[in-house]
Amino acid sequence: MPRFTVHVRDEWLTVPCKDATCSIKWLGFEALKRYIKNKPDNGGIQHIKDVRFVVRRCQGLGLLDSDDTIEDVLEDNEFVELAIEGDTMSQDFIPSQPGTSHLTRAYREPEQYISLDGNSLTSTDLVNLGKGLYKIKLTPEAEQKVVQSRELLDTIVKENKVVYGITTGFGKFARTVIPVSKLKELQENLLRSHSSGLGSPLNPERTRMLLALRINVLAKGYSGVSLETLHRMIQAFNASCLSYVPEKGTVGASGDLAPLSHLALGLMGEGKMWSPKSGWADAKYVLEAHGLKPISLKPKEGLALINGTQMITSLGAEAVERAEAIARQADIIAALTLEVLKGTTKAFDSDIHELRPHPGQKEVALRFRSLLDSDHHPSEIAESHRFCDRVQDAYTMRCCPQVHGVVNDTIEFVKKIINTEINSATDNPMVFAERGETISGGNFHGEYPAKALDYLAIGVHELASISERRIERLCNPALSELPAFLVNEGGLNSGFMIAHCTAAALVSENKVLCHPSSIDSLSTSAATEDHVSMGGWAARKALRVVEHVEQVLAIELLAACQGIEFLRPLRTTTPLEKVYDLVRATVKPWIKDRFMAPEIEAVHRLLVDQKVWNIAGPYIEKYCMEYIPESRPSSPTAFALDPPPSPRKRVRLE
C-alpha cells in the first residue's frame, strides 16, 4: 500500500493510500483530517470541507492538479506540501532551491563505488563524492579495524573504567562520571546540545563531502564507533540523505563540533534532512522513505561523530581543487589578453626562468610559450606587430610567470596539507586497540588546515588582482589601442565599463577576505578549550575568494574575446582560437549594449567546469611532449587533463 508524507503547516503526516486511483484532492483532505485530529482547537479549522488548498511537490515546489489521480502523478513515499489558502508558508518548511546545486539540478544515482580505508582518499575524490559521482563502501581491512576498536570500548564500559567522553561528561564536565544506564542518553544529549549552528545550510554537494570525509576518518579505526553505526552512515550517504548543517558556529577546536553535530543529528532521525527524492523534510521521514533506520548511539559514539576538522577540511578540499583549476586556466586567459594587447613573448624565454627556477614560475612560462606565437603555433596577430618599437610590456603581462607561478606553488603546498588532513585521525580520545588503551590528545585542533586555507586565500587572490589590471588595460584606449570599453559608438554604448567596475569590486572584497582568521583565538568551554583555530571561517572565506577570482577571470576572458573582434581578420594561435570559439559558442560579440550579467555567469560556469582548460590543455601537453621533452614536469599530470579514476579504488556496481 503506497504512503505519502504530507507537510501541513507545522507538521509532517504520513498518509496511507489504499486506492491509488484516488485524487490529489482526496489526499489533501485526508492529510487535513489527520492534522486537525491532533489539535485541541482543530488547528483553527471549523469546517474541513470549506478549506481551500493547493498541493505541490516538496522537491521543486511543482503544483499538482487536484483532479489528477495519485497513481498518475506521485510515486510511493513521495513528499508533498499542502498550502492552505490564507496561510503563509510555514517557517518550519525549508524548500529546496533548484539550480543552486549539482545534485538538485540533475542527480543520477551513481553506479560506481569508492572504497574507503581512511588512508587513501584525495581532495579530488572528495569533490567527486560531493558531486554525487560515486557511492561509498569500506575495505575489509577497515571493517576489521573498526570492529577491533569497538571491542576495546565495550570492554571499558563493562569494566566500569573512567575514561573521558565514554563514561564521563565533556569539556569542563570531564570529571563528572556518568552511570552506565545513562551512557546512551549522554551521547544523544551531546549531539542535541552541540547542534547550535546558525546561518544558511551547506548545499547538498558540501554536505555529501562532509559526511563522506567523516566516514573516511571513522574508517581508520581509531574512534571506537561500531561497524553497525558506520554502515548506517554509509547507507545514508549512498541514498543521498543529507542532514541540515548550518555553515556557521565552529571555532575549529575541539574540532568542528557544531556542524558535525548537525550532521549526526539528522542521522539520528532528528532535525531536518534533504534528499533528491524528498527535498527538505523531517529527518525521520526522509530516512524512512529510503528504507533506512536512524543510528542508535552506543557509548562514545556521539563524541566519535563530532570530534574532528571535517568541516574545515571538506570545504578546504573544494577550495583547493577549484583554486588549482582556475590557476591553470588563468594562464590561458592571460595569454589571450597578451595577444589582444599585442604583447611580446620574449619575457617567457626559458633561459630567463632557469635563472630563477621556482617550479611554479617555470611551469607558467612554459604554458605561455606553448600557447603563444611560435613555430608550433604561428599567430597572425603577433606577426602584425613584429617590427614595432615597443621594447617591453607592462608588469601585468610580462610578470605573469612570477605572479601566477607563486600561486601554483601555494596551491601545491596547501593541497598537501589538505590531503594529509583528509586521511588523518582527528578524534579524541583515540582508541588504540593494539595497545588496549585510549589516549587523549589534540588532533581535533584545526590549526593546520586553518593556516593553510588562509595562505590559499592570500595566494589565489593575486590571480584576480593582476587580472583586474589587465581588464583595465583592455578597456582603456590609451593603453590598448582599441575602442574605449571595447565597444563601438562609445557614449551611446558603455561596453565593458561597469564589468570592469564589478571586477574591481570583487578584488576589493578579496582584500578584506584575505585577512587571516587563524590568527584569532577566543577561549571557549570554560577555558578548557583555551586556544582555537577559527578554521571554519578560514575555509568559508577561502572558498569565497576562489569564487571571486573565477568571476574576475571570467570578465577578463569576455573582454579579451571582445578585443579579438577589433583585430579581425587577423587570427591568433590555434589553441587560443579554440578558446575564443568556446566562449563564442556561449556569448556572442558585443555590437551594442545588452544585459551583461547572465553572460558573465555563463562564462564563469565554463571556468568552474574547466572547459577552457579542457580545450587548451591538450595543446599545452602536446607542445611539452613534442618540442621540449626535457621540460616535461616530474608530475605526469601537471599539464595533462585530470587523470581518470584509479581502478584500485573504484569498483563498478555489480
Side-chain angles (χ1 to χ4, degrees):
M1 181 171 61
R3 298 179 304 169
F4 303 94
T5 304
V6 185
H7 187 257
V8 182
R9 289 180 173 167
D10 57 344
E11 290 190 9
W12 288 91
L13 305 164
T14 300
V15 180
C17 179
K18 294 181 180 180
D19 185 359
T21 62
C22 290
S23 68
I24 293 296
K25 185 176 182 180
W26 172 88
L27 178 65
F29 277 120
E30 191 65 23
L32 275 176
K33 290 178 186 177
R34 292 167 182 268
Y35 172 74
I36 66 175
K37 184 178 180 180
N38 299 322
K39 299 293 181 182
D41 61 348
N42 290 337
I45 296 172
Q46 300 302 319
H47 304 288
I48 193 169
K49 291 185 178 180
D50 295 334
V51 176
R52 298 169 65 88
F53 59 82
V54 295
V55 180
R56 56 195 171 208
R57 288 185 173 87
C58 289
Q59 178 66 13
L61 303 182
L63 286 174
L64 298 170
D65 192 307
S66 62
D67 295 327
D68 282 343
T69 63
I70 290 172
E71 64 182 357
D72 287 339
V73 295
L74 292 179
E75 297 181 4
D76 187 19
N77 275 335
E78 192 155 355
F79 289 69
V80 294
E81 161 84 356
L82 188 148
I84 299 173
E85 186 177 288
D87 284 358
T88 57
M89 183 177 285
S90 167
Q91 294 180 355
D92 190 49
F93 180 70
I94 309 166
S96 61
Q97 300 176 17
T100 60
S101 162
H102 171 89
L103 291 179
T104 309
R105 288 199 307 272
Y107 178 75
R108 296 290 183 273
E109 186 171 323
E111 296 182 350
Q112 290 183 302
Y113 285 81
I114 286 181
S115 294
L116 298 185
D117 58 9
N119 301 309
S120 53
L121 192 66
T122 68
S123 56
T124 304
D125 292 332
L126 190 57
V127 169
N128 285 334
L129 285 168
K131 292 177 180 177
L133 302 183
Y134 301 101
K135 292 183 179 180
I136 281 173
K137 66 190 332 184
L138 294 179
T139 65
E141 295 79 10
E143 289 190 344
Q144 183 179 3
K145 292 194 71 173
V146 168
V147 169
Q148 292 171 344
S149 177
R150 186 65 216 177
E151 287 175 348
L152 175 59
L153 282 188
D154 290 339
T155 300
I156 289 172
V157 174
K158 287 179 183 178
E159 295 176 354
N160 291 318
K161 293 182 178 179
V162 178
V163 179
Y164 172 75
I166 302 173
T167 56
T168 75
F170 312 100
K172 187 69 174 177
F173 299 119
R175 296 182 181 181
T176 303
V177 178
I178 309 299
V180 173
S181 61
K182 297 282 188 179
L183 294 185
K184 183 176 187 295
E185 184 181 354
L186 171 71
Q187 300 300 318
E188 292 173 344
N189 286 345
L190 176 70
L191 297 190
R192 291 171 185 142
S193 66
H194 284 42
S195 295
S196 55
L198 296 172
S200 301
L202 298 181
N203 65 25
E205 289 181 355
R206 290 172 183 169
T207 310
R208 281 175 64 90
M209 290 173 65
L210 181 63
L211 178 54
L213 185 52
R214 193 62 205 166
I215 291 169
N216 188 62
V217 170
L218 296 175
K220 291 183 74 68
Y222 293 97
S223 298
V225 71
S226 69
L227 190 58
E228 177 188 9
T229 295
L230 193 51
H231 278 162
R232 288 190 183 181
M233 294 176 70
I234 292 171
Q235 289 166 359
F237 178 90
N238 290 343
S240 201
C241 294
L242 308 172
S243 304
Y244 183 96
V245 182
E247 64 180 4
K248 300 177 184 178
T250 177
V251 294
S254 130
D256 295 317
L257 294 174
L260 288 172
S261 294
H262 281 277
L263 184 74
L265 191 71
L267 298 170
M268 205 168 72
E270 300 183 18
K272 299 293 181 187
M273 261 190 167
W274 180 94
S275 83
K277 179 178 180 179
S278 68
W280 287 108
D282 285 358
K284 60 181 178 180
Y285 292 119
V286 176
L287 292 171
E288 184 179 333
H290 289 82
L292 303 178
K293 294 181 179 180
I295 58 177
S296 179
L297 297 177
K298 300 175 178 62
K300 209 267 185 183
E301 286 197 320
L303 191 60
L305 294 178
I306 69 173
N307 237 324
T309 63
Q310 283 67 59
M311 171 82 154
I312 308 171
T313 308
S314 59
L315 295 183
E318 180 187 345
V320 78
E321 287 290 315
R322 287 174 65 174
E324 188 173 57
I326 195 58
R328 59 188 183 183
Q329 292 177 111
D331 297 341
I332 300 164
I333 296 166
L336 186 59
T337 295
L338 185 136
E339 274 285 90
V340 173
L341 295 175
K342 298 182 178 179
T344 178
T345 62
K346 290 187 179 298
F348 313 112
D349 188 290
S350 60
D351 287 345
I352 291 176
H353 300 283
E354 285 298 332
L355 299 178
R356 196 193 193 197
H358 292 294
Q361 178 176 329
K362 291 172 63 179
E363 182 178 344
V364 173
L366 178 55
R367 286 180 182 168
F368 270 76
R369 292 197 301 275
S370 69
L371 293 168
L372 294 171
D373 179 64
S374 66
D375 293 338
H376 191 51
H377 298 304
S379 163
E380 294 176 356
I381 294 175
E383 186 62 31
S384 71
H385 61 87
R386 188 171 303 280
F387 301 107
C388 70
D389 59 359
R390 187 181 303 169
V391 177
Q392 58 187 17
D393 296 316
Y395 289 2
T396 49
M397 295 184 285
R398 195 195 334 163
C399 298
C400 280
Q402 291 78 7
V403 177
H404 289 203
V406 73
V407 177
N408 284 319
D409 290 341
T410 299
I411 292 168
E412 183 179 359
F413 171 80
V414 174
K415 191 168 186 176
K416 287 179 179 177
I417 289 179
I418 293 297
N419 280 322
T420 298
E421 194 74 9
I422 283 173
N423 296 295
S424 295
T426 56
D427 200 359
N428 183 60
M430 294 293 185
V431 181
F432 292 92
E434 65 277 11
R435 293 173 55 173
E437 62 179 320
T438 64
I439 304 176
S440 290
N443 277 5
F444 49 68
H445 201 294
E447 199 73 12
Y448 261 101
K451 280 284 187 285
L453 292 169
D454 278 338
Y455 182 34
L456 179 70
I458 293 168
V460 77
H461 156 74
E462 217 58 43
L463 294 176
S465 178
I466 195 170
S467 174
E468 183 274 330
R469 290 292 80 203
R470 291 193 297 262
I471 297 169
E472 156 70 9
R473 300 192 75 83
L474 287 165
C475 291
N476 188 335
L479 302 174
S480 69
E481 302 176 4
L482 298 171
F485 304 111
L486 300 170
V487 71
N488 287 321
E489 295 188 84
L492 176 62
N493 295 300
S494 296
F496 279 72
M497 180 187 295
I498 305 304
H500 173 232
C501 288
T502 298
L506 293 172
V507 169
S508 182
E509 283 192 32
N510 274 3
K511 291 175 183 177
V512 176
L513 292 170
C514 284
H515 177 82
S517 65
S518 62
I519 62 173
D520 186 28
S521 177
L522 291 171
S523 179
T524 59
S525 192
T528 302
E529 299 161 5
D530 56 348
H531 184 278
V532 300
S533 72
M534 298 300 178
W537 176 225
R540 288 195 293 118
K541 68 185 184 63
L543 264 173
R544 195 182 301 181
V545 168
V546 172
E547 182 179 49
H548 289 169
V549 170
E550 293 166 347
Q551 291 167 334
V552 171
L553 282 158
I555 293 171
E556 182 186 354
L557 179 55
L558 272 174
C561 288
Q562 181 67 8
I564 289 281
E565 306 299 338
F566 298 104
L567 302 180
R568 293 303 193 204
L570 299 177
R571 296 177 64 81
T572 182
T573 63
T574 300
L576 295 181
E577 285 289 342
K578 294 290 185 182
V579 172
Y580 168 88
D581 291 341
L582 172 69
V583 174
R584 285 291 170 255
T586 302
V587 177
K588 296 178 181 178
W590 265 263
I591 306 302
K592 59 181 181 180
D593 283 350
R594 62 176 188 261
F595 188 18
M596 186 176 283
E599 300 185 340
I600 297 173
E601 284 297 335
V603 175
H604 177 213
R605 175 50 54 186
L606 292 180
L607 296 175
V608 171
D609 292 340
Q610 302 191 52
K611 291 187 177 179
V612 170
W613 176 257
N614 291 340
I615 287 289
Y619 290 94
I620 298 173
E621 175 74 5
K622 185 177 180 181
Y623 179 89
C624 296
M625 291 178 66
E626 295 183 1
Y627 281 76
I628 41 175
E630 70 277 8
S631 296
R632 276 188 61 77
S634 57
S635 169
T637 61
F639 296 100
L641 300 181
D642 290 331
S646 166
R648 181 180 66 84
K649 293 167 61 180
R650 273 77 167 170
V651 181
R652 184 169 292 278
L653 181 63
E654 296 179 357

